[in-house]
Amino acid sequence: MLKLDIQMFAVPFHRVSKTRKRMRRSHNAMEAPTTNKCPNCGVMIKPHRVCKACGYYKGKSVIEVKSSEAE
């Protein structure tokens, strides 16, 4: 039987320091989503979206919103 001394996976030539490893991972941090206050009703919404509470976008009524009181 022939015995080969071959490694089947990549082996790093130099050790990666803690600082270099952490600098590489510095962009992986979680961020809170950006929210703006609706100028019409004051509810917090994502930017450039129609407000689900009042149906306004850029000061104009875009969709008709059913009130929860009617149900």
Side-chain angles (χ1 to χ4, degrees), residues 39-53:
N40 191 44
C41 65
V43 175
M44 298 304 286
I45 58 171
K46 288 185 176 182
H48 308 289
R49 308 283 197 296
V50 176
C51 180
K52 293 179 181 179

Side-chain angles (χ1 to χ4, degrees), residues 20-69:
R20 186 169 295 273
K21 175 176 63 175
R22 290 171 183 165
M23 284 194 308
R24 183 177 65 239
R25 296 177 181 173
S26 66
H27 303 288
N28 296 346
M30 297 289 287
E31 293 180 357
T34 306
T35 56
N36 294 335
K37 189 182 272 191
C38 175
N40 191 44
C41 65
V43 175
M44 298 304 286
I45 58 171
K46 288 185 176 182
H48 308 289
R49 308 283 197 296
V50 176
C51 180
K52 293 179 181 179
C54 65
Y56 274 70
Y57 179 70
K58 289 190 176 180
K60 298 177 185 175
S61 179
V62 180
I63 58 172
E64 189 70 28
V65 179
K66 294 180 183 177
S67 64
S68 60
E69 300 167 1

